Amino acid sequence: IAARLPPRLEGRWVSTGCEVRPGPEFLTRSYLFYTNRLFKALQFYYWDPSCRDPSYSLVIKGKLRLRQASWITRGATEADYHLHKVGIVFHSPKAMREVASRINQTSGEGCRGFLPPGRSWAPGALYEVLSAKTERDCTAALGFAMHELSLVRVERHFQPLLQPQQSGSRLVEELYLGDIHTDWGERLHYRPTGYQRPLQSALHHVHPCPACGIISRADEHHPPILPARAALPMQLSGSWVSTHCEVRPAVLFLTRYFTFHGNNHTWEGHYYHYSDPLCRQPTFTIYASGHYSQGIPSSKVRGGTELAFKVTQARVTPMDQVTVLMLNSSEAGSCGLAGSWSAGVEQDITATNGCLALGIKLPHTEYELFKTEQDTQERSLLYIGERPTDGSSPDSPDKRPTSYQAPLIQCAAASEEFSNYISLKYVGRKDANGIEALKPLPVAFLLFIALLFLRWD
């Protein structure tokens, strides 16, 4: 993977499927950047999580200026944007009534009467909700902001051609834009430090991508209707691994590896933390385990399943001197055995009820949202609820997520071999007492092995 600094944005970038934003909101995006810094962004909103029943479309026009590399989120470029105008097209009378009443109720003087009562729905009519010229802005009621444009990263990688008769690879370009705050009330003024699901270049995208062509050909009057997909039952059992280095708000870079045991509803997870956006400089690893509840369909996020996860045990392995120093200077009794931490040596933190310095409390219950899907190559994906942007934990039912993190991919039918392999993923390293300690192998290697299993399955 290579990231361009500064990124080149010219051209069209599209969603690769139906996206879920906190709320929940279901949408697809198609953003066009011109060489003169102008852009035209289309956002298509839907009533349903399959993006088949459109509600309204937004047409957003403005100008974007790339600035310096971000001091906060390594690997990202900061940008300034200016909106010229935003228009809305309603795709049903219901959508028009709902949005008009929201705008009329919650907006300032200039927006009251945005749509006079009794105004009938006109298919294809474009209504202006923001104009820089007239200084009118009625977008707040929609929870609309384009702060995602203030943080930009473009990644390029090569996708191997999987057909037997082909050799070589195909260029894929992905555009990561700033994340959307999980708290609706905060989104209007939140400045992103993480990313949302990436858009892909309409020219250079992963094949096959049935949604990409449909979305790139759509316009505000003809929103994309994505192909119907069979609903999958929630099959958690097995092992699941991150597909790439993940970025969380407050600048955490990590990869995740989970195993779920459906027969007794127990789970274990490895969280590999890094200091860089390519996940090459490890800082610490957390191993956690516990049990989970029977899932029930979510009433709030259609297509999702609600679960409760209990974390009862955890172990931490510091991987660099900075983390070792931090843990060794933590208050006695707050994180393992005080003053005894060393790099590459795992320590159980269950007896100290977690680790205050790393924000881990034990025992601990989290209220989660899960869904499983299949990608276009029929591999199973697992989406786990998005973490609260403020860094807190979904430790009560009212904090249950309404959107998802980047998907994990199932370690295919190789789950048995893979879990056996995972137990060997530590190479021996003697601690101060001459006892073999545990040191994780680079997660890039784990991912490589996982992808090998996927390829040959």
Side-chain angles (χ1 to χ4, degrees), residues 36-207:
N36 59 0
R37 294 191 191 155
L38 294 175
F39 68 85
K40 178 184 178 181
L42 296 170
Q43 293 182 351
F44 307 101
Y45 290 83
Y46 302 82
W47 299 108
D48 68 305
S50 306
C51 289
R52 291 181 53 75
D53 185 8
S55 163
Y56 63 87
S57 300
L58 295 180
V59 193
I60 304 133
K61 293 182 177 178
K63 193 164 196 171
L64 182 75
R65 186 172 68 91
L66 296 175
R67 291 170 54 217
Q68 72 279 356
S70 170
W71 287 94
I72 300 170
T73 308
R74 282 183 65 183
T77 298
E78 291 180 0
D80 289 329
Y81 70 92
H82 180 68
L83 297 183
H84 297 156
K85 54 171 68 175
V86 178
I88 189 167
V89 176
F90 301 105
H91 302 304
S92 68
K94 179 188 170 192
M96 183 175 180
R97 280 195 307 273
E98 194 174 283
V99 171
S101 72
R102 258 157 60 192
I103 291 177
N104 288 341
Q105 279 166 23
T106 57
S107 301
E109 285 300 314
C111 297
R112 288 220 184 96
F114 161 71
L115 286 174
R119 178 79 174 271
S120 61
W121 172 61
L126 180 74
Y127 302 94
E128 201 170 73
V129 285
L130 178 148
S131 164
K133 239 179 210 161
T134 62
E135 297 185 354
R136 184 187 198 214
D137 183 357
C138 308
T139 58
L142 300 170
F144 168 83
M146 283 302 280
H147 299 326
E148 62 193 272
L149 293 177
S150 60
L151 200 68
V152 181
R153 176 178 170 89
V154 171
E155 281 187 7
R156 313 179 75 197
H157 57 93
F158 288 90
Q159 176 195 19
L161 300 174
L162 297 177
Q163 283 72 17
Q165 70 276 15
Q166 295 177 309
S167 62
S169 55
R170 172 191 281 119
L171 174 67
V172 174
E173 287 192 312
E174 294 187 307
L175 171 61
Y176 287 84
L177 295 174
D179 62 310
I180 307 297
H181 203 290
T182 51
D183 179 343
W184 183 281
E186 297 290 326
R187 33 196 301 182
L188 298 185
H189 47 255
Y190 169 66
R191 290 287 159 178
T193 54
Y195 304 116
Q196 29 180 337
R197 176 170 164 173
L199 301 174
Q200 288 189 5
S201 161
L203 279 179
H204 305 296
H205 57 263
V206 167
H207 287 262

Side-chain angles (χ1 to χ4, degrees), residues 314 316 333-336 341 348-363:
V316 169
S334 71
C335 186
W341 293 94
D348 198 312
I349 56 166
T350 310
T352 53
N353 298 325
C355 179
L356 201 59
L358 296 175
I360 303 166
K361 289 182 198 149
L362 293 175

Side-chain angles (χ1 to χ4, degrees), residues 262 265 292-297 305-308:
H265 276 225
Y292 60 95
S293 67
Q294 188 76 38
I296 58 163
T305 299
E306 294 183 353
L307 298 144

Side-chain angles (χ1 to χ4, degrees), residues 308-319:
F309 273 77
K310 186 108 181 208
V311 190
T312 51
Q313 285 183 298
R315 304 196 291 264
V316 169
T317 311
M319 298 299 291

